[in-house]
Amino acid sequence: MAFQILLNVFIAFVWMFLSNSFSSATFIIGYLLGLIMLFMLRRFFTSRFYLGRVWAVIKLGGIFIKELVAANVAVLKVILKPKLDLRPAIFEMETELKQDWEITLLSLLITLTPGTVVVNVSEDRTKLYVHAIDFDNIDDAVDSIRSTFEKAILEVSRS
Amino acid sequence: MKSNDLILQTSTRVVFFIIFLFSIHIFFAGHYTPGGGFVGGLLMASAIVLLLLAYDFKTVKEVLPFNYLAMTAIGMLIALTTAAGSLVFNVPFFTHWYDYFDIPLLGKTSIHTAMFFDIGVYLVVVGITLTIIEMIGGDN
């Protein structure tokens, strides 16, 4: 991933030197040419073509914004209810994510979507302890997190 | 039960650089806009304090092996040298001087001796703050 971007910038610089004009426009043209070259030779790299990963990051951002709005509306409903029949709980959630930044990102995303707060990460980093404000079913809550955030993060880190 | 500081540590690794950059920006902005050596130094010190909160004392000492007392002394020396430099040119103590230089990449830049004085202030503030924190929070 990082190597591909570096190579792409290098190709853009070579293009600038070849065309003997050092402006941002030339750099952008060289960068686009480098993208085409890297796409043609994508099978020689150990990791996948990096634009796919960029697209995955953009998709993750979109999912996050969508979830944020939906969950805020849900919490607003809970607040405006005349009768408080909340059922708060702390449940344990297994995660497949391995790396530091993945777990941190997942925790921050879960915390930023209202209704759920990450309380702690287990010592062996395989479980997250999540506090839910109002929940009916553990499996539903875990599944909703799994199907949205975890899948999107795995999509980003897939090599 | 031991708590896991994973989230705090990973966030700190990202946030530290942002505070560091902001500290440098505030330092250089001090001539025409709010900011300067003192605020920049405090920001830098707070970034290191954040590291100290997220990691333990020994790790930070390995990452940033500075002698903060020496840093304070060097900062004082730079500030005093800048102030005393005016005596060489036969003008009163603390007289500042500036001129415009053509620096590659930056273009026409005005260099003012007050900036060197500010570097001294910056180093003194960072050094003193972290010396105090090390004295209070240090293990031995």
Side-chain angles (χ1 to χ4, degrees), chain A residues 11-31:
Chain A
I11 290 168
F13 267 104
V14 170
W15 177 255
M16 267 164 55
F17 280 109
L18 285 174
S19 51
N20 214 348
S21 78
F22 301 99
S23 65
S24 48
T26 324
F27 183 84
I28 290 165
I29 291 166
Y31 198 86

Side-chain angles (χ1 to χ4, degrees), chain B residues 80-128:
Chain B
L80 268 175
T81 318
T82 316
S86 58
L87 296 174
V88 178
F89 299 101
N90 224 351
V91 280
F93 187 64
F94 250 123
T95 309
H96 281 296
W97 171 87
Y98 70 96
D99 202 355
Y100 291 95
F101 293 95
D102 259 332
I103 299 172
L105 288 178
L106 292 176
K108 195 177 166 199
T109 324
S110 73
I111 291 197
H112 200 291
T113 49
M115 197 186 78
F116 298 110
F117 183 76
D118 239 7
I119 289 174
V121 173
Y122 186 96
L123 289 177
V124 167
V125 170
V126 173
I128 282 284

Side-chain angles (χ1 to χ4, degrees), chain A residues 94-140:
Chain A
E94 295 258 344
T95 173
E96 311 162 38
L97 302 174
K98 292 278 177 289
Q99 284 163 317
D100 281 7
W101 66 269
E102 292 174 332
I103 298 170
T104 306
L105 190 61
L106 181 67
S107 311
L108 293 179
L109 288 175
I110 292 171
T111 305
L112 273 172
T113 45
T116 46
V117 173
V118 173
V119 182
N120 207 346
V121 184
S122 71
E123 201 56 51
D124 55 358
R125 299 177 178 190
T126 54
K127 301 185 193 75
L128 296 176
Y129 298 102
V130 184
H131 178 272
I133 190 172
D134 184 16
F135 91 131
D136 313 319
N137 188 342
I138 292 183
D139 294 333
D140 284 357

Side-chain angles (χ1 to χ4, degrees), chain A residues 85-99:
Chain A
D85 50 355
L86 290 182
R87 289 194 299 165
I90 292 182
F91 61 89
E92 196 178 73
M93 180 194 145
E94 295 258 344
T95 173
E96 311 162 38
L97 302 174
K98 292 278 177 289
Q99 284 163 317

